[in-house]
């Protein structure tokens, strides 16, 4: 079985994001970029499935310009066997990303596609679900545990009410939540080895191009700021203040 | 005029409050508001949905393959039911986030996640970058508006309505490739972080998993949910599902009390929609005091036992 993992190049989660003064978006010039944290978890899970003998090949794919090859190389250094960059410049909305991944799925015929539940830039949380819809296959979103059993996977999902378990026939799309695993650190020799691993480039047009129906994004603004409030002297004053405000 | 279909979230017996919040969002959009209740034997849930103020018709579809909220089955039914509607809305809970993008793709449209404000029938504001920026977004003419309403941004619509309940036959069949196994509810009796009125959180300053017990004791007195900073999770004091922040849960309780949390940006983005923020930290320079409504510079190991006592 092949596993296809999607990774997105995003502003590193430790960066303090600033909205551009002209409202056209957030500042990305000179900002540290990384693999979307949920995608790193997706790749780690794929590697663990392969290491447990349940998959033969792990493919990482990203859509973007040359720049995202840096994140694909990191993915190869973590242990992916090969990488595909879908060449496209500029932002792409979830329906188009899902359509491009469907194109990759038709080429590679993976038994499992693992994606992060959301990217920490646009916070859409849509692509995996849309891919599963277009593909007509099951989805198991927000996974905190994946158990493979022949032609199916039993997935524990982190939902608001607790942990939900579903069984999906393969092939299927799984999206990852934080609790699924802790991604490995990349070692220097692996970075060297990754340079020799294959990285193919496929134009987006070869996968059917954009899906259209894009939402129009307008102005970006910083969120309303919270102001510093009052200080209290001790626990008794805190309790009194909370009671006074009707909160206790 | 807009014709809005809201997808009810429920557990088979009780309507989730997120549904009434989506109704508030729909009222801001304006137009006719209907609710779609999917499930099996859902008469009771449909009655609850019909009691929400401002709703015209509740369409209730009962079928065995819709018993559990499996996205593969529900999305197909929602896409079929969306015919004739200009808008399809759901709460942006894990339920809405799972089901609605699949329905949007079946309808061939992009989707608006997490509507925080309504600017027009097809124009909205939504948070991106974990709430560090608010983006304006609009849906192209001709496309069905498919969107989730950010639950922290909308009050629940009031009760007092008397919508007509319409039994609607299922238009879809079982996808056959996805099976529901079960639900294990988390956190025992402690309220869920996303819906709790009060949330107490602890940081690395607790120093151990055992010391978190002091926080649980006070939380239980207040019937509060319990969260933690990423530092406390990384140190292994509490499980990951308690993490509040950019990479954990984004919450908006009425009262949030942070104990021994310095206030890294990662954490702040997860709590800034809270009604009132209280910070207790022995470091007077901790950044959390910059955004706290009420601050107390003190050792949490002194404050927690005092709180336990004073809360009776």
């Amino acid at each position: 079985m092949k596993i296809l993992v999607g990774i997105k190049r995003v502003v590193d989660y430790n960066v303090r994001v600033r909205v551009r003064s002209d409202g056209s978006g957030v500042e990305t010039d000179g900002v540290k970029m990384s693999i979307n944290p949920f995608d790193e978890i997706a790749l780690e899970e794929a590697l663990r499935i392969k290491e447990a003998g349940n998959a033969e090949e792990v493919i990482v794919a990203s859509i973007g310009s040359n720049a995202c090859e840096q994140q694909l190389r990191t993915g190869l250094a973590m242990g992916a066997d090969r990488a595909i960059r879908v060449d496209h410049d500029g932002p792409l909305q979830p329906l188009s990303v899902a359509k491009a991944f469907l194109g990759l799925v038709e080429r590679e015929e993976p038994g499992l596609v693992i994606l992060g539940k959301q990217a920490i830039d646009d916070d859409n949380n849509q692509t995996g679900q849309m891919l599963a819809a277009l593909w007509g296959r099951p989805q198991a979103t927000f996974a905190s545990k994946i158990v493979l059993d022949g032609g199916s996977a039993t997935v524990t999902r982190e939902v608001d009410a607790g942990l939900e378990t579903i069984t999906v026939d393969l092939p299927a799309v799984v999206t990852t939540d934080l609790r699924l695993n802790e991604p490995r650190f990349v070692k220097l020799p692996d970075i060297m080895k990754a340079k020799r691993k294959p990285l193919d480039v496929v134009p987006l047009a070869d996968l059917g191009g954009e899906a259209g129906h894009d939402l129009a994004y307008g102005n970006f603004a910083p969120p309303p700021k919270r102001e510093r409030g009052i200080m209290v002297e001790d626990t008794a004053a805190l309790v009194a203040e909370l009671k006074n405000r009707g909160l206790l | 005029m807009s014709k809005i279909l809201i997808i009810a979230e429920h557990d088979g017996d009780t309507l989730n409050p997120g549904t009434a919040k989506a109704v508030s969002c729909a009222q801001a959009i304006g137009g006719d508001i209907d609710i779609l209740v999917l499930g099996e034997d859902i008469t009771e849930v449909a009655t609850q949905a019909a009691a929400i103020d401002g709703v015209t018709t509740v369409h209730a579809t009962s079928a065995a393959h819709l018993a559990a909220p499996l996205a593969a089955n529900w999305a197909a039914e929602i896409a079929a039911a969306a015919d004739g509607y200009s808008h399809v809305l759901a709460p942006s809970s894990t339920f809405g986030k799972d089901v609605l993008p699949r329905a949007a793709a079946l309808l061939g449209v992009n989707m608006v996640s997490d509507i925080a404000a309504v600017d027009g029938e097809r124009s909205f504001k939504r948070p991106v970058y974990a709430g560090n920026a608010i983006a304006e977004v609009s849906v192209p003419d001709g496309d069905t508006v498919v969107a989730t309403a950010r639950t922290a941004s909308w009050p629940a619509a009031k009760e007092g309505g008397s919508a007509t309940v319409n039994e609607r036959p299922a238009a879809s069949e079982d996808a056959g490739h996805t099976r529901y196994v079960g639900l294990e509810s988390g956190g025992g009796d402690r309220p869920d972080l996303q819906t709790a009125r009060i949330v107490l959180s602890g940081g690395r300053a607790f120093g151990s998993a055992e010391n978190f017990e002091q926080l649980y004791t006070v939380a239980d007195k207040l019937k509060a949910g319990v969260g933690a900073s990423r530092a406390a999770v990384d140190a292994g004091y509490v499980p990951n599902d308690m993490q509040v922040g950019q990479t954990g849960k984004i919450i908006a309780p009425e009262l949030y009390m942070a104990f021994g949390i310095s206030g890294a940006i990662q954490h702040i983005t997860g709590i800034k929609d809270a009604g009132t923020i209280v910070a207790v930290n022995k470091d007077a320079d901790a950044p959390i005091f910059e955004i706290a409504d009420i601050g107390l510079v003190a050792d949490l190991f002194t404050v927690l036992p005092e709180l336990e006592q004073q809360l009776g």
Side-chain angles (χ1 to χ4, degrees):
Chain A
M1 178 172 84
K2 283 185 200 176
I3 303 178
L4 177 64
V5 174
I7 62 180
K8 184 176 184 184
R9 173 183 163 93
V10 298
V11 172
D12 187 87
Y13 78 91
N14 280 313
V15 170
R16 182 186 272 263
V17 173
R18 279 193 178 73
V19 175
R20 287 196 198 113
S21 52
D22 65 359
S24 63
V26 308
E27 197 53 71
T28 49
D29 287 348
V31 166
K32 186 185 176 195
M33 304 294 281
S34 300
I35 297 180
N36 177 44
F38 293 106
D39 302 346
E40 217 174 355
I41 293 170
L43 176 54
E44 176 66 34
E45 195 64 18
L47 296 173
R48 288 184 190 189
I49 291 170
K50 184 189 166 192
E51 285 158 4
N54 291 319
E56 288 78 48
E57 191 181 31
V58 175
I59 306 161
V60 282
S62 189
I63 306 176
S65 61
N66 278 326
C68 77
E69 290 193 5
Q70 189 191 345
Q71 279 66 44
L72 286 171
R73 289 288 172 201
T74 304
L76 292 170
M78 277 178 71
D81 298 290
R82 61 189 170 92
I84 302 170
R85 175 169 71 82
V86 178
D87 187 43
H88 175 78
D89 217 2
L92 212 53
Q93 294 189 7
L95 191 63
S96 288
V97 176
K99 189 182 169 200
F101 268 84
L102 179 66
L104 291 176
V105 160
E106 284 164 354
R107 285 183 172 211
E108 299 291 346
E109 299 184 343
L112 195 57
V113 179
I114 313 182
L115 305 175
K117 73 167 180 180
Q118 75 191 68
I120 62 165
D121 49 8
D122 57 29
D123 283 336
N124 274 315
N125 196 331
Q126 299 173 5
T127 300
Q129 296 88 315
M130 287 185 165
L131 170 61
L134 299 180
W135 192 10
R137 294 302 309 166
Q139 70 186 50
T141 53
F142 327 142
S144 65
K145 192 177 173 197
I146 304 173
V147 179
L148 291 177
D149 179 18
S152 67
T154 296
V155 179
T156 305
R157 307 179 52 235
E158 288 197 31
V159 296
D160 292 338
L163 297 173
E164 184 193 275
T165 305
I166 62 173
T167 298
V168 294
D169 292 340
L170 301 182
V173 179
V174 174
T175 76
T176 62
D177 218 317
L178 281 180
R179 266 211 286 185
L180 185 57
N181 61 50
E182 256 185 65
R184 64 197 64 191
F185 288 104
V186 171
K187 296 185 215 71
L188 189 61
D190 296 327
I191 295 173
M192 304 309 289
K193 239 192 283 176
K195 286 183 178 161
R196 293 192 298 272
K197 288 183 178 176
L199 191 163
D200 294 329
V201 179
V202 180
L204 181 65
D206 287 10
L207 300 173
E210 294 188 38
H213 301 275
D214 276 4
L215 307 176
Y217 273 87
N219 191 61
F220 284 68
K225 271 212 175 90
R226 289 190 82 104
E227 301 292 331
R228 179 187 263 269
I230 61 159
M231 300 299 287
V232 293
E233 282 304 310
D234 54 25
T235 308
L238 173 62
V239 171
E241 185 62 34
L242 289 173
K243 283 189 173 155
N244 193 29
R245 297 187 188 199
L247 290 164
L248 290 184
Chain B
M1 194 176 67
S2 296
K3 210 163 155 19
I4 305 171
L5 183 66
I6 292 171
I7 314 307
E9 174 174 1
H10 63 87
D11 63 4
D13 301 317
T14 309
L15 195 66
N16 184 290
T19 311
K21 293 181 174 195
V23 171
S24 283
C25 177
Q27 286 168 337
I29 293 167
D32 264 352
I33 302 171
D34 293 347
I35 293 183
L36 176 65
V37 180
L38 303 179
E40 191 180 21
D41 302 330
I42 29 97
T43 316
E44 179 53 34
V45 179
T47 306
Q48 292 166 27
I52 300 175
D53 195 27
V55 177
T56 309
T57 306
V58 173
H59 299 290
T61 301
S62 175
H65 74 283
L66 300 172
L70 293 171
N73 287 340
W74 279 43
E77 192 62 39
I78 292 164
D83 192 31
Y85 286 93
S86 59
H87 294 61
V88 179
L89 295 186
S92 80
S93 53
T94 50
F95 159 76
K97 289 172 180 178
D98 182 47
V99 168
L100 217 56
R102 189 170 179 121
L106 293 177
L107 292 168
V109 299
N110 267 297
M111 182 186 130
V112 181
S113 292
D114 302 314
I115 292 180
V118 172
D119 291 337
E121 281 187 2
R122 315 177 70 82
S123 302
F124 311 100
K125 287 192 175 72
R126 62 172 299 255
V128 292
Y129 289 89
N132 286 303
I134 308 296
E136 293 175 355
V137 60
S138 46
V139 180
D141 287 340
D143 280 358
T144 307
V145 177
V146 181
T148 52
R150 186 170 178 273
T151 46
S153 300
W154 300 98
K158 290 187 180 61
E159 288 193 13
S162 51
T164 313
V165 176
N166 164 45
E167 284 192 28
R168 176 190 166 279
S172 66
E173 287 177 10
D174 188 1
H177 50 50
T178 306
R179 290 168 294 281
Y180 182 78
V181 178
L183 175 73
E184 182 192 321
S185 61
D189 296 335
R190 216 163 272 138
D192 176 62
L193 274 178
Q194 308 275 15
T195 52
R197 193 180 75 82
I198 303 176
V199 170
L200 271 49
S201 271
R204 199 190 343 237
F206 275 81
S208 73
E210 293 72 46
N211 288 341
F212 254 83
E213 290 297 332
Q214 297 188 43
L215 191 63
Y216 298 142
T217 309
V218 176
D220 290 345
K221 284 208 156 173
L222 294 170
K223 297 189 173 57
V226 179
S229 69
R230 184 179 176 129
V233 172
D234 286 350
Y237 304 158
V238 296
N240 280 356
D241 60 342
M242 282 172 60
Q243 187 184 322
V244 171
Q246 177 168 5
T247 49
K249 295 199 160 93
I250 293 172
I251 61 172
E254 257 177 64
L255 173 61
Y256 183 77
M257 300 178 75
F259 294 86
I261 290 178
S262 64
I265 183 74
Q266 210 283 131
H267 187 77
I268 301 297
T269 51
I271 59 166
K272 60 180 174 223
D273 287 311
T276 299
I277 296 177
V278 172
V280 177
N281 200 302
K282 62 181 177 185
D283 174 10
D285 296 324
I288 192 147
F289 289 121
E290 294 297 325
I291 58 116
D293 299 288
I294 306 172
L296 170 57
V297 179
D299 188 339
L300 67 96
F301 294 115
T302 313
V303 175
L304 282 174
E306 288 176 356
L307 269 179
E308 190 191 339
Q309 207 174 29
Q310 293 180 25
L311 294 171

